């Protein structure tokens, strides 16, 4: 394939019998080819008009040419006939007419052909975001597919795969109206193209102010979707092909639909409303939502209704809807895809309780896809039991990358992390959720990266699912190569990879809207400083790449990488600096004023980023950055606040303060007050450097002098001057040379400052290590903190066992048992992890587990693990607090777990002085262990967001 072969005749055979939507997609692929070769291919309806190298595409049942080729033995259509969304992609020597060679793209159905056509774009190096993000391919002079090349795609793993455009104002709505005049077919043409290029097939359209079936104008949206083979659905509270917004416009005192969204008081009007929706749009390819919720996504019935009342209402509603579907769509209900979303309060109505049978097992739901849901924050709720998996209609999953609701909304920018998506959605698939996957992507923009992964996972679960543990890294690299190979060398693509991993991990740990000055501790364990250093490194790499991009490369890089990364990182930096500012101001440190200026710069940068996003590429994404995102104090943007900046007045005389980094110890050296501080970092054998900071409390010249009598401690500075203006603080690094200690274990660093002398006692006594096995953790700071992957030993049970999920969770990884669906009995068939640790005193200790905030997979509200210390009694602990209600923002424990993205659970145990062992047994599905912290009962380590940094263990490098 080259310019000459494209120009010498028609390049595409476009049969009259072909689907019109397939022909339109072929037109889009022709544009792709023009971007690659610089010349636009043409099409013809007759074989004798084709060039010597041509593309013949078609769909079984709509292509006489394909049938003829199959009869001649040049292709074999039987390989794909009758299959779902499959295509044959094969080169042939064509004996007839002028065409000598041909690439045949044969689809088993409409979508199969469309996926095959877009596969041609992919092999030519065209990004799926060529239209959506203006990602341009590398120019080629020639592309060769060898004669005899053949590829047959697989059937998709999940039947319906798509996304939900939700909470469309102010961003997506502004974008649509600015560029297209509304939520019309012009706008949706781009959405459908993105969906199909990503091998999706299912869409919930914008719905809070939009009416998909009216806004086309008229049925143009619906007709275009049907033409392209996009299966339309509607959100969980929009039954019978009617969008919620429609009733708002049609209701009224004299309306044929009545004036109440109430099936009990207005059954005739509501039934007619549904019937007319089915008459209007039932002719298209849909998955029809059934069931009912209250208006505007609220509860179905009022507070006065009983549990049984709600269930009875839903039974009556579904029975009525099934009757209407039989009357107006297809008398054979089995042939009509339908879906009931078990969202929020509908979930308990489905299961029922001990007194009231739920909808589960209802004949009216026999062929209906039962769509389960996450808790709106990316953690699955209930999943099908083994018995439930026999349900004929199958199961779906409604997942969230965006959410408008409590405890705090997240809608502005991508904050989804691939290892978490993999862990949750692969679990869903393992539990039999394989018929429908839909993800809430809000405004779509900045969600392109996780959306591609979600849809690829659904399309080819064999490649990316449960058996592909720890392949999100590989996926990210392939994704980066696909988008940026044309404009970035390998080294720069590796940087993009690091940026994507880095910013999404940070955003996963705390979403932007929920981030504030009080999340990370400003000094404990230096978690704020460590994160700021990581953020600065990522921002520097992002800015370096930005400077390299030319005008053609910039739109794709800016929209897919730069804006979501820099937006996220700048906001996180702003709030972290605010935490340091507040801490410094409370100590009257002049550093607070310097930090305030940095925070103001971050605020300004936030506005500049949004403005640039709205103007770049001729305003292509205007409106997409409008969502409020800073300092949420409520569940939504109401009353959100910029950081409060604290400034201090300088003291009237020279004053300095000394603080030990990583702790809240501080002193101005006065003999009347605290003037001794303690540095315990060197108790760890692996620690070679620690630090303390000297800070100005005034804007007057203030000198310091440092003395240390021992030769084995070296300070980075021994004297200096701070003025609170040009220099408000100085970090003093302390290095240890253990070869010079001569049995000494303690020393003093004396800091002379204007108000007196501060003495830092350096404790460098090493823990006893002789006889301790590798991976034994040693208490050096009053606690033992263990990353879960650093176990001493693990025991599998048959095929079941713990495996490491790299990068998972808030620190370095998570440990989870595979297969994911099994239950175990601790001490009998349960896999376990064993940890060895040393404490100095016998007595009562707390073993606190840091876990992924999974929800119970069944309605019994239990998610358990077993714990055993020193081969004693095994205690089985339920990690779910009593009374916890998943998805109820008023439930503070659940709210905290989803905002913090962690659940902690403590068990009190008795430990010996010296070596101990603790075993953690898997009991329930969904248990993912990230970290353990062991400390004397009643002496919890200093508070922090990420927990104490990991303790020293034998053999640690």
């Amino acid at each position: 394939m080259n310019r000459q072969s494209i120009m010498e005749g028609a390049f595409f055979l476009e049969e009259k019998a072909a689907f019109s939507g397939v022909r339109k997609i072929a037109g889009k692929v022709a544009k792709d080819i023009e971007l690659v070769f610089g010349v636009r291919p043409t099409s013809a309806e007759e074989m004798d008009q084709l060039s010597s190298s041509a593309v013949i595409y078609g769909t079984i049942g709509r292509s006489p040419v394909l049938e003829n080729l199959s009869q001649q033995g040049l292709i074999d259509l039987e390989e794909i006939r009758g299959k779902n969304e499959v295509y044959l992609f094969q080169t042939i020597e064509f004996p007839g007419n002028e065409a000598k060679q041909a690439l045949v793209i044969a689809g088993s159905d409409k979508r199969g052909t469309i996926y095959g056509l877009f596969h041609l774009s992919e092999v030519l190096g065209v990004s799926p975001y060529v239209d959506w993000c203006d990602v341009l391919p590398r120019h080629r002079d020639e592309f060769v597919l060898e004669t005899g090349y053949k590829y047959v795609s697989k059937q998709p793993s999940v039947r319906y795969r798509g996304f939900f455009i939700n909470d469309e104002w102010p961003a997506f709505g502004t974008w649509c109206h600015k560029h297209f005049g509304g939520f019309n077919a012009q706008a949706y043409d781009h959405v459908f193209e993105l969906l199909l290029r990503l091998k999706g097939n299912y869409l919930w359209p914008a719905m809070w102010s939009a009416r998909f079936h009216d806004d086309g104008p008229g049925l143009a949206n619906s007709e275009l979707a049907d033409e392209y083979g996009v299966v339309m659905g509607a959100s969980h509270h929009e039954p019978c092909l009617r969008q919620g917004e429609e009733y708002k416009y049609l209701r009224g005192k004299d309306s044929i639909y009545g004036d109440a969204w109430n099936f009990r008081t207005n059954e005739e009007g509501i039934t007619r409303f549904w019937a007319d929706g089915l008459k209007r749009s039932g002719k298209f390819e849909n998955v029809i939502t059934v069931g009912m919720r209250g208006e505007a996504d609220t509860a179905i019935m009022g507070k006065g209704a009983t549990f049984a009342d709600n269930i009875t209402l839903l039974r009556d509603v579904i029975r009525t809807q099934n009757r209407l579907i039989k009357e107006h769509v297809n008398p054979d209900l089995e042939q009509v895809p339908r879906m009931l979303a078990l969202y929020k309060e509908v979930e308990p109505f489905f299961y029922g309780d001990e007194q009231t049978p739920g909808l589960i097992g209802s004949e009216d739901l026999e062929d209906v896809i039962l769509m389960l849901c996450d808790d709106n924050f990316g953690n699955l709720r209930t999943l099908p039991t083994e018995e439930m998996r026999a349900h004929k209609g199958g199961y779906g999953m409604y997942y969230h990358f965006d959410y408008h609701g409590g405890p705090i909304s997240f809608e502005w920018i991508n904050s989804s992390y691939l290892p978490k998506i993999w862990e949750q959605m692969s679990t869903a698939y393992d539990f039999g959720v394989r018929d429908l996957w839909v993800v809430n992507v809000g405004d779509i923009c900045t969600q392109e990266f996780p959306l591609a992964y979600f849809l690829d996972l659904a399309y080819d679960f064999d490649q990316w699912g449960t058996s592909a543990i720890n392949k999100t890294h590989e996926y990210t690299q392939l994704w980066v190569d696909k988008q940026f190979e044309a404009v970035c060398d390998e080294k720069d693509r590796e940087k993009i990879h690091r940026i994507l991993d880095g910013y999404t991990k940070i955003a996963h740990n705390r979403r932007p809207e929920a981030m504030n000055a009080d999340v990370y501790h400003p000094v404990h364990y230096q978690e704020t400083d460590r994160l700021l250093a990581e953020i600065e490194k990522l921002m520097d790499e992002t800015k370096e790449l930005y400077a390299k991009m030319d005008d053609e490369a910039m739109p794709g890089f800016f929209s897919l990488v730069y804006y979501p990364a820099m937006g996220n990182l700048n906001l996180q930096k702003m709030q972290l600096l605010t935490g340091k500012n507040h801490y410094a101001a409370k100590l009257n440190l002049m550093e607070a004023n310097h930090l305030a200026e940095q925070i103001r710069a971050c605020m300004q940068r936030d506005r500049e980023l949004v403005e640039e996003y709205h103007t770049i590429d001729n305003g292509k994404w205007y409106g997409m950055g409008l969502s409020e995102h800073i300092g949420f104090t409520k569940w939504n943007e109401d009353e959100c606040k910029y950081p409060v900046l604290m400034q201090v007045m300088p003291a009237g005389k020279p004053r300095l303060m000394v603080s030990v980094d990583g702790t809240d110890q501080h002193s101005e050296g006065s003999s009347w007050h605290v003037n001794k501080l303690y540095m315990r970092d060197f108790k760890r054998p692996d620690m070679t450097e620690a630090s303390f900071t000297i800070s100005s409390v005034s804007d007057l010249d203030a000198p310091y002098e440092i003395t240390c009598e021992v030769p084995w401690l070296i300070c980075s500075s021994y004297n200096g001057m701070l003025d609170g203006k040009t220099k408000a603080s100085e970090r003093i690094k302390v290095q240890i040379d253990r070869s010079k200690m001569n049995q000494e274990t303690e020393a003093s660093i004396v800091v002379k400052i204007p108000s007196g002398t501060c003495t830092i006692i350096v404790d460098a006594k090493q823990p006893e290590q002789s006889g301790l096995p590798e991976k034994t953790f040693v208490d050096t700071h009053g606690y033992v903190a263990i990353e879960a992957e650093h176990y001493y030993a693990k025991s599998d049970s048959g095929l079941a066992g713990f495996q490491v999920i790299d990068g998972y969770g808030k620190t370095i990884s998570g440990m989870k048992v595979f297969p994911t669906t099994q239950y175990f009995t601790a001490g009998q068939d349960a896999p376990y992890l064993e940890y060895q640790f040393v404490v100095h005193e016998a007595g009562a200790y707390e073993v606190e587990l840091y876990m992924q905030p999974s929800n119970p997979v069944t309605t019994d509200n239990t998610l358990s693990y077993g714990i055993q210390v020193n081969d004693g009694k095994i205690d089985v602990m339920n990690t779910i607090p009593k009374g916890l209600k998943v998805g109820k923002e008023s439930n503070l424990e659940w709210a905290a777990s989803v905002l913090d993205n962690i659940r902690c659970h403590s068990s009190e145990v008795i430990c010996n002085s010296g070596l101990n062992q603790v075993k953690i047994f898997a009991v329930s599905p969904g248990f993912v262990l990230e970290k353990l912290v062991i400390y004397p009962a009643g002496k919890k380590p200093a508070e922090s967001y990420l927990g104490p940094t990991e303790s020293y263990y034998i053999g640690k490098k």
Side-chain angles (χ1 to χ4, degrees), residues 302-319:
K303 292 182 179 179
T306 66
F307 189 63
D309 291 338
N310 280 279
I311 293 173
T312 301
L313 171 68
L314 269 178
R315 287 186 194 279
D316 294 342
V317 162
I318 293 166
R319 194 167 291 132

Side-chain angles (χ1 to χ4, degrees), residues 16 35 56 114 210-211 250 254 269 368-369 386 421 454 469 513 565 593 619 709 720 802 811 824 837 857 867 892 932:
K16 292 179 181 178
L35 290 173
I56 300 171
I114 288 171
R211 293 167 287 165
L250 296 172
D254 300 319
V368 174
I369 297 170
E386 190 171 355
I421 300 167
F454 181 90
I469 187 170
E513 293 88 343
N593 298 344
E709 301 297 332
F802 279 98
T811 48
F824 304 97
F837 61 98
V857 298
I867 182 169
L892 298 181
L932 302 85

Side-chain angles (χ1 to χ4, degrees), residues 167-175 411 443 623-624 626-628 637:
D167 311 314
E168 65 268 18
W169 287 100
F172 184 80
T174 299
W175 178 78
E411 303 170 80
D443 307 302
M624 287 295 194
L626 287 174
S627 296
E628 294 280 6
E637 67 273 15

Side-chain angles (χ1 to χ4, degrees), residues 72 106 149 165 278 353 400 428 439 500 555 644 678 695 724 728 782 820 903:
Q72 293 180 55
Y149 175 87
I165 303 169
L278 294 167
D353 59 21
H400 287 76
V439 60
L500 292 173
V644 174
Y678 296 87
S695 304
T820 62
R903 178 178 293 124

Side-chain angles (χ1 to χ4, degrees), residues 287-455:
V287 174
I288 300 173
T289 300
V290 297
M292 188 178 189
R293 292 196 77 215
E295 252 185 313
D297 196 12
T298 57
I300 305 172
M301 300 181 77
K303 292 182 179 179
T306 66
F307 189 63
D309 291 338
N310 280 279
I311 293 173
T312 301
L313 171 68
L314 269 178
R315 287 186 194 279
D316 294 342
V317 162
I318 293 166
R319 194 167 291 132
T320 298
Q321 291 168 343
N322 280 343
R323 174 177 61 79
L324 295 173
I325 292 167
K326 289 174 75 171
E327 291 174 7
H328 303 298
V329 180
N330 191 327
D332 185 358
L333 270 181
E334 286 189 30
Q335 301 305 311
V336 183
R338 289 158 292 143
M339 176 273 293
L340 172 68
L342 309 184
Y343 187 66
K344 292 192 175 180
E345 82 283 347
V346 179
E347 184 185 66
F349 298 158
F350 175 75
Y351 289 108
D353 59 21
E354 293 179 0
Q355 290 76 39
T356 310
L359 297 171
I360 188 169
S362 168
E363 288 184 6
D364 296 310
L365 294 175
E366 185 179 1
D367 303 307
V368 174
I369 297 170
L370 301 175
M371 192 177 73
L372 303 160
C373 308
D374 69 355
D375 61 4
N376 303 314
F377 286 80
N379 308 294
L380 306 182
R381 293 168 68 116
T382 59
L383 292 168
T385 63
E386 190 171 355
E387 182 181 0
M388 288 170 61
R389 287 169 220 161
H391 173 65
K392 188 177 176 183
Y395 291 89
M397 179 56 64
Y398 174 32
Y399 200 70
H400 287 76
F401 294 164
D402 168 286
Y403 181 57
H404 185 72
I408 294 179
S409 304
F410 54 102
E411 303 170 80
W412 170 50
I413 210 165
N414 173 38
S415 58
S416 297
Y417 185 50
L418 262 55
K420 172 71 172 277
I421 300 167
W422 173 84
E423 185 268 326
Q424 291 289 296
M425 292 308 300
S426 61
T427 298
Y429 191 89
D430 292 345
F431 271 83
V433 181
R434 304 179 179 185
D435 291 274
L436 188 158
W437 285 14
V438 63
V439 60
N440 184 337
V441 293
D443 307 302
I444 306 175
C445 280
T446 77
Q447 305 289 354
E448 293 91 349
F449 172 48
L451 174 60
Y453 180 71
F454 181 90
L455 292 176

Side-chain angles (χ1 to χ4, degrees), residues 6 11 17 155 245 316 352 383 421 444 457 462 523 563 597 640 648 665 679 718 751 758 767 813 844 953:
I6 294 170
F11 188 70
Q155 292 192 93
E245 196 71 2
D316 294 342
L383 292 168
I421 300 167
I444 306 175
L457 187 62
D462 291 340
V523 296
Y563 176 67
E597 290 305 312
C640 65
V648 300
Q665 300 176 77
M679 181 180 284
Y718 288 93
V751 187
C758 174
S813 62
Y953 60 84

Side-chain angles (χ1 to χ4, degrees), residues 862-878:
T862 60
L863 199 164
S864 301
Y865 69 91
I867 182 169
Q868 181 186 41
V869 175
N870 298 328
D871 294 325
K873 178 176 173 288
I874 298 175
D875 291 317
V876 175
M877 314 299 294
N878 181 15

